[in-house]
Amino acid sequence: MKSVTAFVGLGNMGGPMAANLVKAGHAVRGFDLSEASRDMAAKAGIQVFATLDEAVSGASVVITMLPAGRHVLGVWSELVALVSPGTLLIDCSTIDVDSARKAHALAADKGCLSLDAPVSGGIGGAAAATLTFMVGGPDESFARGKPVLEAMGKRIVHCGAAGSGQAAKICNNMILGVTMAAVGEAFVLGEKLGLSHQALFDVASTSSGQCWSINTYCPVPGPVPTSPANNDYKPGFATALMLKDLRLAQEAALASGATTPLGAQAAQLYGLFEKLGHGGEDFSAIVKFFREQGAA
Ligand code: NAD
């Protein structure tokens, strides 16, 4: 049996991630505010507790997977009063860079090691233990955390100092939001010009227009059978989550003085698309926005 790991936030992502730690032989103690999440986790072999205090007792590693920065700072403020110095705290949530750095500072004040380690790969990757972890924090923390993360993912990338994991995540997702919008509007222009989806795909996916948004996740049904477009745009990666990441990128751009006009435009487009009632659809459904606007 490996060391005791505590997992806080056993939702859509945290639940299956904690279950993979159990499969890898970790003794996992878990806590979530939601009884439904606790019940699901208990079925996957996680020892669940009704309080944070009990869940982290005796843990040498504590992992959090929570909705946003305020939840992470709230939980980490409590955590540092509960765990012993030397405990490794890992946050896998997607949060703003500033909150991530504040969380690292809380840990350092208590003599704990810490990592920000957001993921890509979604619920499918969480279940299959194929997530990519983008990790920020000191070398010593990374060396201790890597074997733990390896039980939940297949690529673990050390991106740099505290906050660098979150920085990498929002930069990557800003590229994704912008390219998906670009690919969507190109397909709708093609439709207006009488070009078939397959013809545009055959050209662009092998020419200078190629990118993940067209080659792997094509936003129209047909050319890439595994893309959500073939499954009525069921996520996948929901529009609401893409919007969250694009807004985090905009906050970071404002705070750091970076110029990101395309990221700003993408945030606005996904914001409008969500307002129109598409927040629960896969983000590639943005192609419908251009079609609907063009028809107006
Ligand atoms: P979720 O809402 O399913 O799970 C979050 C869980 O945290 C819930 O079960 C909630 O009850 C619990 N929680 C909230 N506050 C708490 C507290 N103070 N103490 C204990 N538990 C608390 O969300 P999710 O889809 O699992 O996403 C978690 C994080 O992962 C988010 O930051 C999200 O942006 C990121 N993420 C999600 C996906 C995805 O596809 N769902 C992909 C990549 C990254």
Side-chain angles (χ1 to χ4, degrees):
M1 187 67 80
K2 294 185 184 166
S3 59
V4 175
T5 304
F7 209 111
V8 183
L10 300 163
N12 290 324
M13 295 292 290
M17 288 166 71
N20 283 325
L21 285 173
V22 173
K23 283 184 204 152
H26 292 251
V28 184
R29 300 166 72 87
F31 172 65
D32 194 294
L33 290 177
S34 140
E35 200 181 330
S37 296
R38 291 202 301 269
D39 289 350
M40 283 280 287
K43 286 190 188 121
I46 294 136
Q47 207 186 346
V48 293
F49 296 89
T51 66
L52 181 67
D53 194 336
E54 291 169 281
V56 302
S57 167
S60 55
V61 179
V62 182
I63 300 173
T64 50
M65 190 53 160
L66 299 163
R70 66 181 187 283
H71 306 99
V72 173
L73 286 177
V75 168
W76 278 46
S77 307
E78 285 183 56
L79 265 182
V80 292
L82 297 169
V83 299
S84 322
T87 305
L88 173 63
L89 310 183
I90 308 177
D91 179 47
C92 295
S93 328
T94 303
I95 65 171
D96 59 287
V97 176
D98 190 44
S99 295
R101 290 191 175 135
K102 283 185 180 139
H104 279 279
L106 283 170
D109 284 350
K110 176 67 195 252
C112 291
L113 300 180
S114 56
L115 294 171
D116 53 292
V119 302
S120 77
I123 296 166
T130 56
L131 294 169
T132 293
F133 285 88
M134 295 151 264
V135 189
D139 290 344
E140 186 191 357
S141 304
F142 183 73
R144 258 188 69 191
K146 191 167 179 252
V148 180
L149 300 177
E150 278 168 344
M152 302 180 285
K154 67 168 196 237
R155 282 194 75 223
I156 323 294
V157 184
H158 192 192
C159 299
S164 304
Q166 298 294 349
K169 165 94 185 171
I170 57 171
C171 289
N172 179 70
N173 281 16
M174 187 175 80
I175 295 171
L176 181 59
V178 168
T179 56
M180 187 55 80
V183 168
E185 70 180 22
F187 268 98
V188 174
L189 174 61
E191 288 167 9
K192 296 262 184 215
L193 299 174
L195 190 60
S196 76
H197 289 160
Q198 191 63 48
L200 177 54
F201 177 83
D202 288 345
V203 172
S205 68
T206 53
S207 305
S208 44
Q210 65 184 275
C211 59
W212 190 88
S213 293
I214 188 164
N215 289 43
T216 308
Y217 214 78
C218 188
V220 294
V224 178
T226 50
S227 79
N230 300 284
N231 192 22
D232 206 19
Y233 297 99
K234 289 200 180 68
F237 184 44
T239 290
L241 287 174
M242 171 52 85
L243 180 59
K244 172 189 168 183
D245 292 356
L246 288 169
R247 286 183 172 155
L248 288 176
Q250 286 308 290
E251 275 174 37
L254 199 65
S256 64
T259 304
T260 56
L262 295 177
Q265 182 75 67
Q268 222 174 28
L269 285 170
Y270 279 97
L272 282 170
F273 193 53
E274 188 196 45
K275 270 207 179 111
L276 291 169
H278 300 277
E281 291 177 27
D282 188 77
F283 80 110
S284 61
I286 193 77
V287 66
K288 294 192 215 171
F289 177 82
F290 302 112
R291 214 176 269 133
E292 282 158 18
Q293 294 306 303

